């Protein structure tokens, strides 16, 4: 009987532990995704700014 109770407690505790680990991993993944989204937006803005500056300085490249 003791073995059965111990097994059930460890089984339930294992599921609770796995739930916590998965929840933590998902939270960190979402934070990382948000950080990368901001960095990508910033990189796109910088690239557009560089392109405009380059075309302003080198207007003959636009074909006009």
């Amino acid at each position: 009987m003791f073995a059965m109770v111990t097994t059930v407690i460890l089984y339930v505790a294992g599921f609770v532990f796995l739930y916590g680990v998965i929840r933590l991993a998902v939270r960190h993944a979402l934070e990382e995704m948000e950080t990368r989204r901001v960095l990508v937006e910033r990189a796109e803005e910088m690239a557009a700014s560089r392109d405009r500056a380059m075309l302003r300085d080198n207007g003959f490249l636009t074909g006009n």
Side-chain angles (χ1 to χ4, degrees), residues 8-57:
V8 169
I9 290 172
L10 289 175
Y11 190 74
V12 171
F15 276 116
V16 171
F17 176 75
L18 284 176
Y19 171 77
V21 169
I22 291 169
R23 187 171 175 212
L24 183 67
V26 168
R27 184 173 65 196
H28 283 298
L30 291 175
E31 290 174 357
E32 179 72 19
M33 194 169 57
E34 181 66 22
T35 303
R36 286 181 188 258
R37 185 186 62 80
V38 170
L39 291 175
V40 166
E41 285 179 359
R42 188 176 305 148
E44 288 175 354
E45 290 172 1
M46 289 176 60
S49 175
R50 277 193 310 263
D51 289 347
R52 283 192 300 272
M54 191 267 304
L55 291 175
R56 186 174 49 246
D57 295 340

